[in-house]
mmCIF file of all heavy atoms in Angstrom:
data_model
loop_
_atom_site.group_PDB
_atom_site.id
_atom_site.type_symbol
_atom_site.label_atom_id
_atom_site.label_comp_id
_atom_site.label_asym_id
_atom_site.label_seq_id
_atom_site.Cartn_x
_atom_site.Cartn_y
_atom_site.Cartn_z
ATOM 1 N N ALA A 46 142.760 92.745 34.027
ATOM 2 C CA ALA A 46 141.815 92.039 33.300
ATOM 3 C C ALA A 46 141.350 90.766 33.907
ATOM 4 O O ALA A 46 140.321 90.332 33.600
ATOM 5 C CB ALA A 46 142.527 91.666 31.943
ATOM 6 N N THR A 47 142.125 90.178 34.810
ATOM 7 C CA THR A 47 141.680 89.029 35.596
ATOM 8 C C THR A 47 140.426 89.417 36.393
ATOM 9 O O THR A 47 139.562 88.468 36.540
ATOM 10 C CB THR A 47 142.842 88.533 36.373
ATOM 11 O OG1 THR A 47 143.984 88.173 35.607
ATOM 12 C CG2 THR A 47 142.494 87.279 37.241
ATOM 13 N N PHE A 48 140.355 90.444 37.041
ATOM 14 C CA PHE A 48 139.259 90.710 37.799
ATOM 15 C C PHE A 48 138.071 91.014 36.964
ATOM 16 O O PHE A 48 136.880 90.765 37.326
ATOM 17 C CB PHE A 48 139.552 92.025 38.535
ATOM 18 C CG PHE A 48 140.586 91.741 39.791
ATOM 19 C CD1 PHE A 48 141.931 92.012 39.525
ATOM 20 C CD2 PHE A 48 140.206 91.288 40.977
ATOM 21 C CE1 PHE A 48 142.831 91.719 40.573
ATOM 22 C CE2 PHE A 48 141.066 91.014 42.074
ATOM 23 C CZ PHE A 48 142.409 91.306 41.714
ATOM 24 N N THR A 49 138.208 91.637 35.648
ATOM 25 C CA THR A 49 137.203 91.719 34.786
ATOM 26 C C THR A 49 136.673 90.337 34.363
ATOM 27 O O THR A 49 135.503 90.194 34.244
ATOM 28 C CB THR A 49 137.633 92.463 33.637
ATOM 29 O OG1 THR A 49 138.127 93.794 33.952
ATOM 30 C CG2 THR A 49 136.502 92.781 32.611
ATOM 31 N N ALA A 50 137.659 89.499 34.142
ATOM 32 C CA ALA A 50 137.202 87.989 33.768
ATOM 33 C C ALA A 50 136.298 87.481 34.771
ATOM 34 O O ALA A 50 135.381 86.752 34.457
ATOM 35 C CB ALA A 50 138.469 87.140 33.615
ATOM 36 N N PHE A 51 136.641 87.625 36.142
ATOM 37 C CA PHE A 51 135.693 87.188 37.163
ATOM 38 C C PHE A 51 134.383 87.690 36.934
ATOM 39 O O PHE A 51 133.292 86.965 37.040
ATOM 40 C CB PHE A 51 136.335 87.581 38.510
ATOM 41 C CG PHE A 51 137.439 86.801 39.033
ATOM 42 C CD1 PHE A 51 138.561 87.426 39.293
ATOM 43 C CD2 PHE A 51 137.241 85.464 39.387
ATOM 44 C CE1 PHE A 51 139.671 86.656 39.973
ATOM 45 C CE2 PHE A 51 138.297 84.763 39.988
ATOM 46 C CZ PHE A 51 139.477 85.313 40.140
ATOM 47 N N ALA A 52 134.274 89.087 36.784
ATOM 48 C CA ALA A 52 132.934 89.589 36.614
ATOM 49 C C ALA A 52 132.177 89.040 35.349
ATOM 50 O O ALA A 52 131.000 88.860 35.502
ATOM 51 C CB ALA A 52 133.117 91.197 36.635
ATOM 52 N N ILE A 53 132.914 88.982 34.368
ATOM 53 C CA ILE A 53 132.302 88.484 33.058
ATOM 54 C C ILE A 53 131.643 87.058 33.286
ATOM 55 O O ILE A 53 130.605 86.757 32.858
ATOM 56 C CB ILE A 53 133.193 88.519 31.936
ATOM 57 C CG1 ILE A 53 133.492 90.052 31.509
ATOM 58 C CG2 ILE A 53 132.689 87.803 30.710
ATOM 59 C CD1 ILE A 53 134.632 90.123 30.522
ATOM 60 N N GLY A 54 132.492 86.280 33.902
ATOM 61 C CA GLY A 54 132.091 84.836 34.185
ATOM 62 C C GLY A 54 130.816 84.947 35.032
ATOM 63 O O GLY A 54 129.843 84.159 34.775
ATOM 64 N N SER A 55 130.798 85.789 36.029
ATOM 65 C CA SER A 55 129.574 85.832 36.968
ATOM 66 C C SER A 55 128.287 86.356 36.239
ATOM 67 O O SER A 55 127.255 85.844 36.291
ATOM 68 C CB SER A 55 129.950 86.819 38.115
ATOM 69 O OG SER A 55 130.927 86.307 38.863
ATOM 70 N N ILE A 56 128.616 87.407 35.376
ATOM 71 C CA ILE A 56 127.477 87.952 34.610
ATOM 72 C C ILE A 56 126.873 86.815 33.647
ATOM 73 O O ILE A 56 125.692 86.775 33.603
ATOM 74 C CB ILE A 56 127.926 89.101 33.814
ATOM 75 C CG1 ILE A 56 128.278 90.331 34.821
ATOM 76 C CG2 ILE A 56 126.834 89.703 32.818
ATOM 77 C CD1 ILE A 56 129.062 91.403 34.281
ATOM 78 N N ILE A 57 127.653 86.140 32.969
ATOM 79 C CA ILE A 57 127.190 85.135 32.080
ATOM 80 C C ILE A 57 126.468 83.974 32.680
ATOM 81 O O ILE A 57 125.422 83.555 32.230
ATOM 82 C CB ILE A 57 128.407 84.546 31.240
ATOM 83 C CG1 ILE A 57 129.028 85.576 30.335
ATOM 84 C CG2 ILE A 57 127.979 83.370 30.371
ATOM 85 C CD1 ILE A 57 130.186 85.129 29.642
ATOM 86 N N ALA A 58 126.950 83.598 33.948
ATOM 87 C CA ALA A 58 126.349 82.492 34.683
ATOM 88 C C ALA A 58 125.073 82.920 35.414
ATOM 89 O O ALA A 58 124.212 82.084 35.871
ATOM 90 C CB ALA A 58 127.381 81.926 35.642
ATOM 91 N N ALA A 59 124.895 84.245 35.720
ATOM 92 C CA ALA A 59 123.855 84.585 36.654
ATOM 93 C C ALA A 59 122.472 84.149 36.226
ATOM 94 O O ALA A 59 121.749 83.666 36.957
ATOM 95 C CB ALA A 59 123.748 86.164 36.840
ATOM 96 N N PRO A 60 122.162 84.331 34.975
ATOM 97 C CA PRO A 60 120.643 83.887 34.585
ATOM 98 C C PRO A 60 120.426 82.381 34.893
ATOM 99 O O PRO A 60 119.416 81.999 35.373
ATOM 100 C CB PRO A 60 120.600 84.145 33.093
ATOM 101 C CG PRO A 60 121.556 85.275 32.919
ATOM 102 C CD PRO A 60 122.699 85.022 33.728
ATOM 103 N N LEU A 61 121.450 81.532 34.457
ATOM 104 C CA LEU A 61 121.372 80.076 34.703
ATOM 105 C C LEU A 61 121.370 79.797 36.222
ATOM 106 O O LEU A 61 120.695 78.991 36.633
ATOM 107 C CB LEU A 61 122.542 79.339 34.084
ATOM 108 C CG LEU A 61 122.594 77.827 34.322
ATOM 109 C CD1 LEU A 61 121.366 77.177 33.701
ATOM 110 C CD2 LEU A 61 123.912 77.226 33.583
ATOM 111 N N ALA A 62 122.128 80.635 36.979
ATOM 112 C CA ALA A 62 122.160 80.389 38.353
ATOM 113 C C ALA A 62 120.792 80.573 39.065
ATOM 114 O O ALA A 62 120.378 79.728 39.782
ATOM 115 C CB ALA A 62 123.197 81.264 39.024
ATOM 116 N N TRP A 99 142.841 84.019 32.362
ATOM 117 C CA TRP A 99 141.423 84.758 32.310
ATOM 118 C C TRP A 99 140.319 83.660 32.214
ATOM 119 O O TRP A 99 139.223 83.868 32.769
ATOM 120 C CB TRP A 99 141.390 85.534 31.023
ATOM 121 C CG TRP A 99 142.270 86.683 31.125
ATOM 122 C CD1 TRP A 99 142.734 87.360 32.129
ATOM 123 C CD2 TRP A 99 142.891 87.413 30.013
ATOM 124 N NE1 TRP A 99 143.753 88.438 31.870
ATOM 125 C CE2 TRP A 99 143.733 88.330 30.557
ATOM 126 C CE3 TRP A 99 142.905 87.246 28.595
ATOM 127 C CZ2 TRP A 99 144.459 89.309 29.768
ATOM 128 C CZ3 TRP A 99 143.482 88.062 27.736
ATOM 129 C CH2 TRP A 99 144.347 89.140 28.306
ATOM 130 N N LEU A 100 140.493 82.614 31.480
ATOM 131 C CA LEU A 100 139.535 81.465 31.464
ATOM 132 C C LEU A 100 139.344 80.890 32.880
ATOM 133 O O LEU A 100 138.163 80.569 33.207
ATOM 134 C CB LEU A 100 139.966 80.377 30.596
ATOM 135 C CG LEU A 100 139.980 80.806 28.961
ATOM 136 C CD1 LEU A 100 140.560 79.677 28.144
ATOM 137 C CD2 LEU A 100 138.525 81.191 28.564
ATOM 138 N N ALA A 101 140.413 80.647 33.570
ATOM 139 C CA ALA A 101 140.298 80.047 34.956
ATOM 140 C C ALA A 101 139.499 81.105 35.877
ATOM 141 O O ALA A 101 138.589 80.733 36.696
ATOM 142 C CB ALA A 101 141.615 79.778 35.529
ATOM 143 N N ALA A 102 139.771 82.375 35.733
ATOM 144 C CA ALA A 102 139.132 83.351 36.596
ATOM 145 C C ALA A 102 137.628 83.443 36.109
ATOM 146 O O ALA A 102 136.740 83.563 37.038
ATOM 147 C CB ALA A 102 139.764 84.752 36.329
ATOM 148 N N ALA A 103 137.406 83.431 34.944
ATOM 149 C CA ALA A 103 135.997 83.436 34.468
ATOM 150 C C ALA A 103 135.198 82.177 34.922
ATOM 151 O O ALA A 103 133.993 82.276 35.464
ATOM 152 C CB ALA A 103 135.796 83.569 32.907
ATOM 153 N N GLY A 104 135.855 81.070 34.868
ATOM 154 C CA GLY A 104 135.207 79.895 35.520
ATOM 155 C C GLY A 104 135.007 79.995 37.112
ATOM 156 O O GLY A 104 133.821 79.495 37.361
ATOM 157 N N PHE A 105 135.832 80.447 37.687
ATOM 158 C CA PHE A 105 135.629 80.765 39.151
ATOM 159 C C PHE A 105 134.486 81.777 39.368
ATOM 160 O O PHE A 105 133.662 81.536 40.292
ATOM 161 C CB PHE A 105 136.950 81.334 39.880
ATOM 162 C CG PHE A 105 136.734 81.423 41.252
ATOM 163 C CD1 PHE A 105 137.125 80.347 42.104
ATOM 164 C CD2 PHE A 105 136.195 82.581 41.911
ATOM 165 C CE1 PHE A 105 136.947 80.467 43.514
ATOM 166 C CE2 PHE A 105 136.005 82.641 43.190
ATOM 167 C CZ PHE A 105 136.386 81.660 44.036
ATOM 168 N N GLY A 106 134.379 82.848 38.699
ATOM 169 C CA GLY A 106 133.374 83.824 38.753
ATOM 170 C C GLY A 106 132.035 83.138 38.372
ATOM 171 O O GLY A 106 130.952 83.438 39.079
ATOM 172 N N ALA A 107 131.961 82.293 37.311
ATOM 173 C CA ALA A 107 130.625 81.575 36.900
ATOM 174 C C ALA A 107 130.324 80.687 38.099
ATOM 175 O O ALA A 107 129.200 80.593 38.467
ATOM 176 C CB ALA A 107 130.919 80.892 35.738
ATOM 177 N N ALA A 108 131.321 79.846 38.606
ATOM 178 C CA ALA A 108 130.937 78.975 39.745
ATOM 179 C C ALA A 108 130.418 79.682 40.985
ATOM 180 O O ALA A 108 129.470 79.222 41.695
ATOM 181 C CB ALA A 108 132.121 78.164 40.087
ATOM 182 N N LEU A 109 131.028 80.837 41.313
ATOM 183 C CA LEU A 109 130.641 81.569 42.408
ATOM 184 C C LEU A 109 129.198 82.138 42.229
ATOM 185 O O LEU A 109 128.326 82.006 43.124
ATOM 186 C CB LEU A 109 131.624 82.678 42.768
ATOM 187 C CG LEU A 109 131.313 83.666 43.985
ATOM 188 C CD1 LEU A 109 131.309 82.889 45.224
ATOM 189 C CD2 LEU A 109 132.212 84.717 43.939
ATOM 190 N N ALA A 110 128.905 82.505 41.025
ATOM 191 C CA ALA A 110 127.672 83.082 40.738
ATOM 192 C C ALA A 110 126.544 82.008 40.710
ATOM 193 O O ALA A 110 125.468 82.204 41.198
ATOM 194 C CB ALA A 110 127.558 83.675 39.372
ATOM 195 N N MET A 111 126.846 80.713 40.423
ATOM 196 C CA MET A 111 126.019 79.543 40.486
ATOM 197 C C MET A 111 125.666 79.175 41.969
ATOM 198 O O MET A 111 124.602 78.870 42.297
ATOM 199 C CB MET A 111 126.590 78.383 39.769
ATOM 200 C CG MET A 111 126.589 78.456 38.285
ATOM 201 S SD MET A 111 124.970 78.640 37.483
ATOM 202 C CE MET A 111 124.257 77.094 37.963
ATOM 203 N N THR A 355 127.442 92.533 40.289
ATOM 204 C CA THR A 355 128.522 92.097 39.553
ATOM 205 C C THR A 355 128.863 92.986 38.512
ATOM 206 O O THR A 355 130.122 93.371 38.215
ATOM 207 C CB THR A 355 128.287 90.784 38.985
ATOM 208 O OG1 THR A 355 127.931 89.849 40.016
ATOM 209 C CG2 THR A 355 129.607 90.239 38.217
ATOM 210 N N ALA A 359 132.448 95.156 38.008
ATOM 211 C CA ALA A 359 133.193 95.182 36.750
ATOM 212 C C ALA A 359 133.490 96.457 36.192
ATOM 213 O O ALA A 359 134.607 96.741 35.779
ATOM 214 C CB ALA A 359 132.468 94.346 35.736
#
Side-chain angles (χ1 to χ4, degrees):
T47 301
F48 292 93
T49 302
F51 278 117
I53 291 174
S55 297
I56 292 169
I57 292 174
L61 177 61
W99 296 335
L100 289 175
F105 185 93
L109 182 62
M111 290 295 297
T355 303

